[in-house]
Amino acid sequence: MLVEAIWFMQFAFGKRSKHETVTQFYITGIKSLGVITVVALFTGMILALQTGLELRRYGQEVYIGSAVAVSMIREMGPFMTGLIISASVGSAIAAQIGTMTVSEEISALEVMSINPNRFLVMPRLVALVVMMPILSVYTNILGIMGGALVGTTQLGVSVQAYMDNATQFATNKDLYVGLFKAFLFGIVITTVSCHQGFMTTEGAVGVGRATRSSVIISFLTILVVGYMVTRMFYL
Amino acid sequence: MNKFRHEVSIEILVGLFMFTVLIALGIFTVVLSHDSIWKKSYEYEFVFTEVSGLREGDNIYLRGMSIGRVNQTSLHNNNVSVFVTLDVPLNLRNGYTIEVVNASMLGGKFLKIYEGPENAPALSQNITILGSAPVDVIEELSEAVNGLQEMINAVSEGQGTLGKLLNDDSIYNDFVEISQDVKLIVKGVEAGEGTIGKLLKDEAVYTNASVVIANLREISERLESGEGTLGKLMAKDGEVYADISTSIASVRSIAESINAGEGTLGKLVRDAKLYDETALLVEDVRAAVDDLREASPITSFGSVMFGAF
């Protein structure tokens, strides 16, 4: 399924698939912005507060900038984005394809010689692998801004000092390894959700089970893949 | 028509969002690369024998200011080449140093550049820039702790002055004895024993001293008023001094006359003839006395013999 969808990616912006692909971009990217904004902002604020309170014991609260930036860019940005997208978009994909499966719409597509992988999986795969890194950058920016907010209002660290520290210790390697993780998470979420959707049986109950399974499996796979990538690049 | 407009608005929205985030990603990349796009940068290669864990991205400081970062480190024959990018050009002089320094006790390194003394001659730009061997603070601290431990052990074992002071009871006993002796002396002094004791306790000593001082004062007053020989000598009018000067002048005049052979005494002193005659006279007298001594027994015998008759 994945290999076939990757093969069909060359037609993503073709006449027949463009509308579906753009729609998936919209659903994955724009419609997730609200929840991602809140989660990213508060993740950064929590990180800043927790590390800042510990660092304050040693008079080193000025370093919260680097702590928040490195944590967000390396791990928390892609990870939180992956969790949100798997819970919102991934579950929706599993539910939609699951419903189509149990109502035999997938079979109907096959009867009409429409490849479900091209028609259903490929646009979602393109949308997720493109949007996940972009949303991850958005999460990073908002997380760092949230940290700055807590740093300046709660911990007495100036914005200049916070930003200097934030950019001092983070590197481009951290940024692009994080984006690579987000890209892999996109593949994971699409694959798991579509697979769970296609494997749905037993009507509405099956759809619910497929949705739940897709979220749980995506969560676990994101964690494992995240660890493997970190180990691959930093050990 | 509405469907078409809806599709276009979605496409624009998605496009705008992606465009904005991609610009943000670009800015992020530039900021995190720590490169100054608009500023001129200067690249150098430093050669070290060892870099002690210096890594790509570590800071470089000149006079306490961050001026660049380490780009790359690579092994080259027996050395390590460190490639750096600086914001300012280096003007190295004789005596320059480039050191790998610990950023903190927790870890991290940075390069510290010292360009050399102000008055030293500048070095050419084409030379191989050599870095100094790094100082391992942990190792130095460990050596210092070992040294301290050895010292403590030696003191514990009673070695050296400090060890003996802390461990040898005889020194303590000596101190106790000394303090007891001092205590006895103080008691004796307090009781008025000995010279110091009497000085401190006996009223008579004070009285005598007062009398001596009074006498001295009286003598000094008499001297000042010109009484007695010493007083006259010290008198302010200078009469005695003038008399003594006149007398000394007279004596000097007499001595000069004698020296010039004038008068009887002068001749006695200066005339050799008188000396010779005196010497001959002494010899004649001695011969006469010898003759008399030799003739004395015969004279005595003759007197005795002829006296009997």
Side-chain angles (χ1 to χ4, degrees):
Chain A
M1 178 190 78
L2 181 64
V3 175
E4 204 175 354
I6 291 169
W7 166 252
F8 286 126
M9 278 171 83
Q10 59 186 305
F11 309 114
F13 294 97
K15 199 175 179 182
R16 283 200 293 166
S17 304
K18 183 187 166 190
H19 171 67
E20 182 59 20
T21 306
V22 172
T23 306
Q24 288 304 320
F25 268 98
Y26 178 74
I27 292 167
T28 309
I30 309 297
K31 285 210 160 182
S32 306
L33 277 182
V35 67
I36 283 179
T37 302
V38 175
V39 170
L41 208 59
F42 278 90
T43 302
M45 288 166 74
I46 291 164
L47 270 175
L49 198 58
Q50 289 286 10
T51 50
L53 289 174
E54 283 304 305
L55 288 170
R56 181 184 264 182
R57 290 165 61 176
Y58 308 100
Q60 301 293 322
E61 61 267 31
V62 73
Y63 287 106
I64 57 163
S66 52
V68 172
V70 172
S71 307
M72 287 302 297
I73 289 169
R74 278 191 182 183
E75 200 63 56
M76 296 306 286
F79 181 68
M80 297 308 290
T81 312
L83 293 190
I84 293 162
I85 294 298
S86 99
S88 57
V89 179
S91 61
I93 292 171
Q96 187 189 353
I97 295 177
T99 307
M100 289 173 78
T101 306
V102 294
S103 60
E104 297 187 343
E105 284 180 45
I106 303 295
S107 302
L109 284 172
E110 283 170 345
V111 167
M112 289 187 286
S113 294
I114 295 171
N115 190 325
N117 286 335
R118 176 175 175 174
F119 185 67
L120 296 172
V121 180
M122 182 271 289
R124 286 162 179 78
L125 183 65
V126 172
L128 276 163
V129 295
V130 173
M131 271 299 172
M132 274 296 291
I134 285 173
L135 288 173
S136 185
V137 172
Y138 180 74
T139 311
N140 290 341
I141 293 167
L142 282 181
I144 291 169
M145 281 168 63
L149 197 66
V150 168
T152 48
T153 56
Q154 310 287 312
L155 299 165
V157 178
S158 71
V159 177
Q160 183 65 42
Y162 178 89
M163 293 312 289
D164 282 349
N165 263 289
T167 54
Q168 190 181 358
F169 292 98
T171 60
N172 271 331
K173 182 189 172 186
D174 298 332
L175 177 65
Y176 284 99
V177 169
L179 297 188
F180 179 63
K181 274 183 194 174
F183 170 79
L184 291 181
F185 294 164
I187 295 174
V188 165
I189 294 165
T190 317
T191 311
V192 170
S193 305
C194 291
H195 178 73
Q196 289 299 316
F198 285 127
M199 292 292 112
T200 308
T201 52
E202 299 173 19
V205 177
V207 171
R209 195 187 302 129
T211 308
R212 191 172 61 98
S213 298
S214 79
V215 173
I216 292 169
I217 295 169
S218 294
F219 271 26
L220 297 176
T221 316
I222 283 169
L223 280 170
V224 173
V225 170
Y227 169 76
M228 297 301 285
V229 174
T230 305
R231 192 179 182 284
M232 193 164 76
F233 284 96
Y234 291 103
L235 198 65
Chain B
M1 190 65 184
N2 274 345
K3 191 184 171 190
F4 175 74
R5 286 176 71 179
H6 179 67
E7 278 178 16
V8 169
S9 67
I10 283 177
E11 283 180 15
I12 290 170
L13 206 58
V14 170
L16 271 177
F17 174 66
M18 287 180 71
F19 182 70
T20 311
V21 174
L22 285 173
I23 286 176
L25 178 63
I27 294 168
F28 233 132
T29 307
V30 170
V31 169
L32 294 186
S33 70
H34 307 290
D35 287 335
S36 310
I37 293 175
W38 315 115
K39 281 189 206 166
K40 196 178 174 188
S41 60
Y42 303 86
E43 298 203 343
Y44 291 92
E45 180 189 353
F46 302 149
V47 179
F48 287 81
T49 51
E50 199 205 322
V51 291
S52 217
L54 186 79
R55 289 187 304 180
E56 188 183 314
D58 282 341
N59 279 317
I60 299 162
Y61 286 90
L62 174 70
R63 287 175 240 149
M65 293 285 291
S66 175
I67 58 158
R69 281 176 181 271
V70 174
N71 280 343
Q72 192 193 339
T73 55
S74 63
L75 281 173
H76 186 70
N77 295 330
N78 293 326
N79 297 319
V80 183
S81 292
V82 177
F83 298 93
V84 302
T85 304
L86 305 181
D87 302 333
V88 291
L90 279 182
N91 298 311
L92 297 178
R93 296 179 286 270
N94 258 343
Y96 76 91
T97 56
I98 298 170
E99 296 173 295
V100 179
V101 181
N102 286 304
S104 72
M105 290 300 286
L106 297 174
K109 306 277 176 189
F110 66 84
L111 271 183
K112 184 179 162 190
I113 299 175
Y114 170 60
E115 289 176 303
E118 286 285 333
N119 50 0
L123 296 173
S124 159
Q125 292 291 325
N126 302 320
I127 58 156
T128 304
I129 303 171
L130 298 173
S132 311
V135 178
D136 192 336
V137 175
I138 305 294
E139 195 178 320
E140 291 209 337
L141 267 177
S142 148
E143 278 178 17
V145 169
N146 284 342
L148 201 63
Q149 189 61 51
E150 279 173 17
M151 201 170 78
I152 290 167
N153 289 341
V155 169
S156 303
E157 286 164 12
Q159 294 172 11
T161 311
L162 195 62
K164 280 175 186 161
L165 263 172
L166 291 173
N167 292 291
D168 195 350
D169 284 346
S170 65
I171 292 168
Y172 168 75
N173 293 335
D174 287 348
F175 269 118
V176 170
E177 280 177 19
I178 288 166
S179 70
Q180 283 172 346
D181 290 347
V182 169
K183 206 180 284 176
L184 280 173
I185 290 165
V186 170
K187 272 185 183 173
V189 168
E190 203 172 326
E193 292 170 6
T195 310
I196 297 172
K198 279 174 183 161
L199 265 171
L200 290 173
K201 289 285 179 182
D202 196 350
E203 288 283 332
V205 175
Y206 171 75
T207 312
N208 289 340
S210 297
V211 170
V212 168
I213 289 164
N215 289 341
L216 282 172
R217 191 184 294 134
E218 190 189 337
I219 290 165
S220 68
E221 281 170 1
R222 286 177 64 191
L223 284 174
E224 200 173 341
S225 60
E227 288 179 25
T229 312
L230 210 55
K232 280 174 184 163
L233 269 172
M234 293 173 73
K236 285 176 185 169
D237 56 8
E239 191 182 334
V240 175
Y241 172 76
D243 290 346
I244 289 170
S245 291
T246 310
S247 304
I248 288 169
S250 303
V251 168
R252 191 184 295 135
S253 170
I254 292 164
E256 280 171 359
S257 300
I258 289 169
N259 204 26
E262 293 171 2
T264 311
L265 213 54
K267 281 173 182 164
L268 267 172
V269 172
R270 306 294 291 181
D271 194 351
K273 190 181 170 187
L274 191 62
Y275 169 76
D276 294 340
E277 283 179 0
T278 307
L280 283 172
L281 181 67
V282 169
E283 275 179 18
D284 288 345
V285 170
R286 188 179 291 155
V289 170
D290 285 345
D291 291 345
L292 195 64
R293 194 180 295 138
E294 283 169 6
S296 174
I298 298 166
T299 311
S300 300
F301 182 72
S303 302
V304 170
M305 283 298 290
F306 293 112
F309 297 105

